[in-house]
Amino acid sequence: MLSLIKPPVLSINQVPKVFHEDSIMSGYRHPRSSATDCILSVFQMTNETLNIWTHFLPTWYFLWKLVTVVLMHSAWQDSYTWPLVIYLLSVCMYPLASSCAHTFSSMSARARHICFFFDYGALSFYSLGSAITYSFYVFPDKWTNSTFHQYFIPIAVVNTIICTGLACYSRLGLPFLQYNHDIVKRFPESQSPKFSKGLRVLAFAYPYLFDNIPLFYRVFLCTGEGCTNNDTNVLHVYHIALAFLTGFLFATHLPERLAPGSFDYIGHSHQLFHVCAILGTHSQMQAIEQDMMIRKSWLLENSMPFTFGGSIGAALLCLVTNLTTIFLFSLPLLLSSRSEERKAK
Ligand SMILES: [Zn+2]
């Protein structure tokens, strides 16, 4: 009876190339599913099901953390908490955007691109959320108030804009110039997936590496006084190790590359990538909270003031530019006619 309401899953040869996932041979949903079908597919075993749940469930955990911090710390009256609130907001947004993108990505080729544009925008916002908390709570004593520290958040904001633009560009190229409502002129993802993937890895690795410069220095390089060598360093190391594992899984498509078709439903790299990202974020969150607590009096006395512009202002600027970028990349697709869908097949 249940099979009557569940649409059948398809093999890789039954869906257009734009929907293909590297070394995933089966478990595809219909490429023109309705929104209702997409939502129902969350309860059916497809190659996206665990991608959805591995980010949907943690969203609620992080949301609970955010609400707890806002209520317990009277966050709006205490500027010292603002960077943490922004970080937690970004930590809620990226798994939510990701689970929505994985849920609705099988509505059409256009919907798939737009869904993942939002996914990239949210990830890029998360990198700014991390940078803001690092600037206020994690920078080693030695580097506090240095020139690098003063320009850290402005550079992180610029990186965020570049990251979102580059990640969106990696799918179809430049809007209107390289693709418009019914034609894709250059390097669509399906024709040169390696180049496209490489650009995307660069788009996310670069801001991550930049944001973590103060942390890498503090944990791995700094010697002598002013290194902020406290108990939190272990948590920071966990987070860094998990972040590198996350990047490795995203870039290599292991294990499914070794045995195409064997990990279609359970255990493929994207699911593992989601899980590692969440575990890494959890360690990072614990480390940030711990640094924030144990360094509070020193930071309030010695570090830069906790300003609106340096925290909430930077986040708002990033949100506006990210949404504008997503809108510009989505516009040619939104203006699309049905013919694009026919060509995509
Ligand atoms: Zn994902």
Side-chain angles (χ1 to χ4, degrees):
M1 181 66 193
L2 205 59
S3 62
L4 290 175
I5 46 174
K6 281 182 180 176
V9 287
L10 307 174
S11 75
I12 192 165
N13 298 320
Q14 293 174 292
V15 295
K17 209 173 175 186
V18 67
F19 291 88
H20 291 187
E21 295 291 346
D22 197 347
S23 305
I24 304 290
M25 311 310 287
S26 62
Y28 289 91
R29 294 171 295 175
H30 194 281
R32 271 172 297 173
S33 306
S34 66
T36 313
D37 286 342
C38 288
I39 292 168
L40 289 175
S41 77
V42 167
F43 305 101
Q44 184 191 2
M45 208 53 195
T46 73
N47 60 29
E48 288 283 23
T49 309
L50 289 183
N51 287 338
I52 296 165
W53 285 104
T54 48
H55 268 172
F56 185 69
L57 295 178
T59 300
W60 293 97
Y61 169 72
F62 291 128
L63 198 60
W64 170 77
K65 277 296 299 181
L66 173 66
V67 171
T68 311
V69 166
V70 169
L71 295 180
M72 301 254 302
H73 293 261
S74 308
W76 302 121
Q77 289 138 37
D78 180 10
S79 61
Y80 185 71
T81 320
W82 291 348
L84 179 69
V85 171
I86 290 158
Y87 167 77
L88 289 174
L89 200 61
S90 77
V91 161
C92 294
M93 278 170 68
Y94 93 77
L96 181 64
S98 162
S99 51
C100 290
H102 284 289
T103 302
F104 296 105
S105 61
S106 63
M107 288 180 74
S108 67
R110 283 177 296 156
R112 183 177 176 81
H113 292 303
I114 295 169
C115 277
F116 286 106
F117 289 158
F118 276 98
D119 188 22
Y120 304 152
L123 264 178
S124 146
F125 182 64
Y126 163 64
S127 87
L128 182 76
S130 307
I132 289 173
T133 46
Y134 282 11
S135 173
F136 285 109
Y137 311 128
V138 174
F139 254 70
D141 295 3
K142 243 186 204 180
W143 282 11
T144 299
N145 298 323
S146 62
T147 308
F148 177 57
H149 193 189
Q150 280 161 9
Y151 287 101
F152 186 71
I153 290 180
I155 296 172
V157 171
V158 173
N159 287 347
T160 304
I161 297 165
I162 296 170
C163 165
T164 310
L166 196 60
C168 292
Y169 174 77
S170 77
R171 292 193 76 87
L172 292 166
L174 288 171
F176 297 108
L177 296 175
Q178 291 171 331
Y179 66 94
N180 57 39
H181 63 282
D182 63 354
I183 194 161
V184 175
K185 284 182 186 163
R186 273 190 222 169
F187 72 83
E189 194 179 26
S190 55
Q191 279 174 20
S192 48
K194 278 190 181 159
F195 178 63
S196 172
K197 184 89 181 179
L199 274 183
R200 215 168 300 155
V201 171
L202 178 72
F204 294 109
Y206 161 64
Y208 177 81
L209 292 173
F210 174 82
D211 294 346
N212 280 274
I213 289 172
L215 189 59
F216 293 152
Y217 174 73
R218 170 177 154 183
V219 174
F220 300 119
L221 298 171
C222 188
T223 51
E225 286 214 355
C227 292
T228 320
N229 193 3
N230 60 21
D231 292 344
T232 315
N233 282 15
V234 179
L235 283 171
H236 282 306
V237 172
Y238 284 154
H239 151 241
I240 292 168
L242 283 162
F244 276 92
L245 183 58
T246 305
F248 174 81
L249 290 165
F250 183 76
T252 59
H253 289 275
L254 291 172
E256 66 270 22
R257 255 208 191 149
L258 299 175
S262 302
F263 300 94
D264 292 354
Y265 295 90
I266 300 175
H268 63 73
S269 64
H270 205 85
Q271 295 165 359
L272 302 176
F273 156 75
H274 276 199
V275 172
C276 284
I278 293 298
L279 293 176
T281 303
H282 186 252
S283 300
Q284 183 191 37
M285 183 182 74
Q286 287 180 311
I288 287 167
E289 280 189 312
Q290 197 166 305
D291 261 338
M292 181 190 167
M293 267 191 314
I294 61 182
R295 301 180 71 204
K296 185 170 183 177
S297 55
W298 188 90
L299 288 169
L300 286 173
E301 214 168 288
N302 298 287
S303 192
M304 291 190 294
F306 290 80
T307 59
F308 181 88
S311 51
I312 298 173
L316 287 176
L317 179 63
C318 169
L319 268 181
V320 170
T321 51
N322 271 2
L323 287 173
T324 308
T325 306
I326 292 167
F327 176 73
L328 288 175
F329 276 90
S330 302
L331 194 56
L333 303 172
L334 293 169
L335 296 173
S336 171
S337 62
R338 284 268 164 207
S339 65
E340 195 233 357
E341 290 305 312
R342 285 196 291 273
K343 284 192 177 191
K345 289 168 82 177

